[in-house]
Amino acid sequence: MLREGQIRIPSGCAISGIMNKKGRVFGGGDIINSIAVMHDRSNGLGGGFAAYGIYPEFKEEYAFHFFFDHTTIKNEIEALLKKNFIIASGEAIPIRKSKSIKDAPLIWRYFVRPKHRVLVKQEVDEEEFVVRFVMRVNSEIDGAYIFSSGKNMGAFKGVGYPEDIGEFYRLEEYSGYLWTAHGRFPTNTPGWWGGAHPFTLLDCSVVHNGEISSYDANRRQLEMYGYKCVLQTDTEVVAYIFDYLMRRQGLPLDVIVKAMASPFWHEIDRMNKKEKEILRAIRVVYGGFLVNGPFSILIGTNQGMIALNDRIKLRPSIAATKGDYLYVASEEAAIRQVCSKPEHMWMPRGGEPVIGLLEASQPTRVPVRTEQEKIAINS
Amino acid sequence: MQTIDASGMLYRDLNELIRDSVSRGVKEIRLINVNGHRYIGDGLAKEASIIIEGTPGNDLAAFMEGARIEVHGNAQDGTANTMNGGTIVIHGDARDALGYSMRGGEVYVRGDVGYRVGIHMKGYQDMNPAIVVGGKAGDFFAEYMAGGIMIVLGLGLAPDEDIVGNYCGTGMHGGIIYLRGEVAPEQLGKEVKVVSLTEEDTCVLDGYLDNYCQYFKVKREEIDKKPFCKLLPYNKRPYGNMYAGW
Amino acid sequence: MEYCIIGNSAAAIGAVEGIRGVDKKGTMTIISDEPYQAYSRPLISYYLAGKVAEDKMYYRPNEFYKNMGVELLCGSGAGKLAVREKTVILRDGTKKRYDRLLIATGGKPFVPPIKGLEKENVHTFHKWDDVKSLAEELSAGCKAVIIGAGLIGVKAAEALLCLGVEVSIIELADRVLSSVLDEQAAAIAQQVMEEHGVKFVFGDTVTEVLGEGRVEGVSLKSGNKMECDMLIVAIGVVPNTDIVKGTGINVNRGIVVNERMETSVDGIYAAGDVAEGKNLLWAEQRVIPILPNAYKQGETAGVNMAGGNNSFTKGFAMNSLGFFDFKMTSAGMQGGEGYEEIYTLKAEEKFYRKLVIKDNRLMGFIALKNIDRTGILTGLIKDQVEITKFKEALLKIEPGFAEWPKELRKERMLS
Amino acid sequence: MKRVYVREEYCAGCGLCQVHCITAHSEYKGDIIKAYKKSFPRPLARVIVEEKRPLSFSLQCRHCEEAECVKACITGAMQKDPATGIVINDTARCIGCWTCVLVCPYGAVRRDETLHKVAVKCDMCAEAGGVPLCVENCPNGALEYREER
Amino acid sequence: MSLKSYVTPSFLIERNKERCIKCKVCVQQCANEVHRYDEEDDEIISEEHQCVNCQRCVTLCPTGALTIRKNPNELRQNSNWTAEAVRAIYIQAETGGILLTGMGNDRPYPVYWDNILLNASQVTNPSIDPLREPMELKTHLGRKPDSLSIKEGKLQKKLPPQLELELPIMFSAMSFGSISLNAIKSLAEAAKQEGTYFNTGEGGLHRDLYQYGENTIVQVASGRFGVHADYLQAGAAIEIKIGQGAKPGIGGHLPGEKVEREVSETRMIPEGTDAISPAPHHDIYSIEDLRQLIYSLKEATNYEKPVSVKIAAVHNVAAIASGIARAGADIIAIDGYRGGTGAAPLRIRDNVGIPIEFALAAVDTRLRQEAIRNQVSLVVGGSIRNSADIVKAIALGADAVYIASSALLALGCHMCQKCYTGKCNWGIATQDPQLAKRLNPELGAQRARNLLRAWKHEIQEMLGGMGINAIESLRGNRLMLRGIGLTEKELQILGIKNAGE
């Protein structure tokens, strides 16, 4: 049977995200409880979490989470790591045996820093080096898969219901300021843990509910810029788009969300001249990154969380705030489960991002068209 | 008169500067240290005079509509490409494909010109383009010529040197070529015949020759020492019967 | 406003329609000396020939007078005109006051003083009653002499031929239809008529009507004599101006009117065959005794009588004349000095087309045999269009617009 | 009033206006084949097509405001309908004197002598109502039925 | 001694006498004088030798009395020496001429569009209903920068000039001369109304068409006919024509008969002279020369207009396209071997070039491999027959398509392939005023507009079915395509999977 990456598997999903914008950390229990409420949105064939702020002791190292098919490949990879990185620590990720979780691969983590002379030799910066390394391992080395590669964050995922995956990874033992979760409903069995969400690259993690109809247009656009879409999943494509636009192109968040879920031309036509010029330019230049088809998406980074819907809102999402907390989920109940009385709760419009930045005074609800909002995002 | 030092300038910047000046009403521009700057005078429709010192780049005066350009030096390939109007005076040689598809205006070259000069030159109504070459021309001179006037003077030829190369006037179906001296039949395209000059021809020639003499300070007597021959196409439609309906 | 119209033919009807176009209320009276509602005078020859039944003689539907609010006083006719009192006194003594009066009394046959004209079987050919009485006396095989080969004489001849009458025409001029046709055309027309059995005597005239009581023959100026059973005087028509005698209304050949159809007396208008008005071709005023002219003058007068403003200055003669299946049209004309004439003649085909041009404008034409679309020529005369660029094309069997300059064609053709 | 206007620049001179005119004025309306093969006499086309290549155009009665044919008609057969403005010849009263032919400045009145002598002319297909059939069937939109511009 | 022609009529005209009313419409309409009226016999007689099967008489016959069919005469069955092969030899033996034909390649080569199937959403994502929800086809053609710099809500650098299309369909180059002014006016008006572009071809821009400048792509071809400063300024973009799918590698002659007054004025050549377009541009003998002309044109128009380069799809089209992109072109137009033409040598038309489907796939792939796909827009043409072809083309990687044959069909072309005779009975490929006026540009524009609108709706339906509501998400989205009946190699070149995969 073909596994994820060899074929494209459409999926339905549940997503949830919780963050404390002041950076206060909290345990993984809430996110598990939240995603568990939406049990019926997944089918036991994929679940996962991304957690930020969980490795304060290694916050300068890239935390590589690996799936290994067998020990031989683990040894090969460790040799490769040693060649390229200074390894601050390496260990099996603690797990809890569970009846419902079967066929788990070997799951390890390494806290690494690229060796300076390797960077100099390849004439790339640290992040680009890490990206290329991850791409290389994931596309070229059979039996090993890096499913998390950011600093002070980690992804935890596998085949199973998300609440079982959470239990499996003992997430209640971690403390983070931003958690995202995903329950997956793939149409056929991915047969492989790497296919679960979140998908990450560096510190960018994506959980995603949807199917991207523009997948191949986006993929082929990305591949022009050196990305290798090994998983054939929409999530992977979204993560790369985000990485490309944010890290490589250095675009501000509001521009990125407008590239990914741009206003319609008839809306652009109604804007003032300046806005129109920008929006037109974004669409014309980044048309290949327009994410088309139904999606609601949660992107986590070390700076915060962004939730985004497709332009015509073909998938649900809801957001809420209470105090320093920002919640986003597929269903209201998932928020109520962990925050029974939110101060503010709203349904973002299609294409309208919910952006929560760390240390920002308020999580920002971003109505698409006002000047004010731009300033808020840029600040 | 405005002087622009082109050394170190990109052609795009130079040309923008020229366009700006002309649109501001500057009538005469002197470009110094020109070397390989392309497209000078491209599409220029206004009355203006550009004096170039150096070697202008390719497509000098392409699509030009009315300006006057004087080159103190040699011009490169593609000069007067699809030119519609204006005058170019080159105090040196010009290279290949001078006056490609030229429809109007006049080009005077003191020295020699390269291959395919005047290729597909055409005339229309009162637009009667002309190229006057002081020295000799390369092969395929006036290929496809459909209109206008091409004059080669052959001044300063070595004794055994030909005034034009091979395939002169090949595919010609309009216009007139005047060659000062003789041309061997094997040098001509099969569409061209040699005829003698009429009085009208002499009148037409006079004007261009006087201009040549004036521009380049050449004595008219020098030119008049040798008679001209005239080349005309046999047929306005050389390929009229080439096809059979399927 | 009270309108009164004397006469009940085309000009009168034109006036009624002209008045009602402007004034929906005023009362109208028509005084006629004939016992009919308006009928078409040109139809009398068709009536005689049996081509038109009695009920088809009428120029307008029966309900016309009622619908138009016209009181028709038939039969008696107007006897006298009291201009100062604005009153018409009928022959029966009835008085009819008016605010505006139109004299549309038409023409009357010109009957020269010939000895013996008082005999029975001498007829004019002008009114319905003329042909009714004529019809009573006719029988197949009888012989008729017609004096005059003009329009009336020719139409009378055609009708009589239809009825099996032997017809001879005596004409003082040297050709038929001399007022309408030139020599070349007349020759063809004469040939056609002769082929149908008409006998002609040209350059001669009747000096005496022979017979006792009834006509038995005529003797001619040339000395010749002709036997006949009846005589029709069809020399011509003159304006019937009797009613205005002594009124001070200015009369020349007809009642003189200006372009508004006003006579020299305020409130009194004249139109039709009785009126002498401005015209297109002649500098002097003329009587143009044709139906279209009568109608238009009547209409013009009517509009003006009702307070509107209309003028008619472009009258000119025009005729469409058939002789059995042979067709002729003509319009306008004059010729000679200062005129250009171009024509096509195909005598053996009886085709003739002539254009009379002055200052590059069409002044008249004759069309024989092929008359289709000759209205285009009439229109060119009427509007005095410059025709230099396409005049030759107008000689074609069927003239059209194709040869015209594009702009003129579009303007004329689509307006 | 609405009239038929020809745009000669688009008239292909095909003559279909005449075919449809004839059909419309035959006893077999809507059936061209019967109109041509069975009507006797076959009606005359009321639309005239002139051609002088490359020019061609068709022309129908203009239904003049001041209709010369109406004023000149000696029988009163030719009348302009005050309501519709359409000039119609009452063929029952027409005696074929051709005065209308003589006065029509467009040459738009035709002589029909097949059975009786009567003048025939465009009646705007008034009987059928709607767009005259010559206009409706012009394959190139060369005929327009519209108000005067 | 006259040579008896062995060429028999290609078509047979059947006249149903029961139906024929002898109205002579057929006589009047046939520019080839096939029909004539015999006054003596009161019959219409058809002489088929000149019949080209344009169907004008059939279409206009008011009683449907005419049928034109293939002449059933057959030579002895021979799979090698087909009737056409024999006929060609007879014609050439009689004339000594190069066989000339019109419209596109009609050989039974595979049409790859017909071997490609489209995807649609079922369950896992919703299809979108374009009748009620937004469905965007707006397309921009022109060079796209690799990145945008936006600071303080301001664009730091203007976009390079772009053509803005309301739908990804443009009218391909057809010159005034090859087609009538009325045909061009029809397309120009339709382009204006529907927010797209028409292309002048190498025919110059007639004075009546300057009003359509904003919707015009002006072409500069090897003959440079009608090219002057105002012309270059008049259009929204400039296209350098290198080649054309129907006749890659060769030039063209517009015969003098077609150079009547208006054509002469527009092309700026004397009336009645042949307009000879050389095979190459004589200022382009190399890729760097192409760059020179591209920039010459940009200089002449102040860098305000995108410059397109049109090439025929030939064997190494991918490498050529890459070179063109690097030479500074903003748009590359590729014309496949089925592309139409007013006149092309038969053997060239039928034997030179490659299918547009392959060319497009190869070019798009190559430009992506070189990471320069963004720098240039890709327009493809060469027998785009319907909206599905367009959707497939865009999914293969095109930005937009050029249509010409389809557009002419919309105007009334009946594919008789005799454009080169100048006797187009439909008023399209002719300068004979008697024929040209048969195409009323108002009706033509309406028909062309209707076609664009119909296709627009269909494209929207297909996009909606895929769950996509903006055309950019279809561009290069080859996952939406599956091959059927194709070899591994063909699938590989097209970059698509087989149906069922």
Side-chain angles (χ1 to χ4, degrees), chain C residues 40 58 296 299 320 324 327 372-373 375-376 378 382 398 400-402 409-410 412-415, chain D residues 5 8-9 50 55 57 59 62 68 71 74 79 93 97 101-102 104 106-107 110-111 113 117:
Chain C
S40 171
Y58 298 106
K296 285 190 199 172
E299 188 187 35
S320 170
F324 293 95
K327 290 167 273 289
D372 287 335
R373 309 196 80 194
I376 293 173
T378 312
K382 176 171 167 260
E398 204 175 296
F401 295 94
R409 171 170 65 243
K410 289 200 160 183
R412 293 281 300 174
M413 197 173 87
L414 298 178
S415 59
Chain D
Y5 292 91
E8 63 181 42
E9 55 273 36
E50 280 196 52
L55 170 71
F57 53 85
L59 178 64
R62 308 312 308 149
E68 296 285 341
K71 298 182 186 193
I74 66 168
Q79 287 296 324
R93 303 183 58 194
C97 72
V101 172
L102 167 69
C104 174
Y106 304 100
R110 309 248 78 178
R111 297 177 299 109
E113 300 191 278
K117 290 182 180 181

Side-chain angles (χ1 to χ4, degrees), chain E residues 68-87:
Chain E
I68 299 177
R69 63 175 79 242
K70 190 174 180 297
N71 191 340
N73 277 338
E74 279 178 13
L75 296 173
R76 175 185 282 270
Q77 184 72 36
N78 189 323
S79 299
N80 181 35
W81 286 104
T82 59
E84 287 199 340
V86 172
R87 179 187 169 84

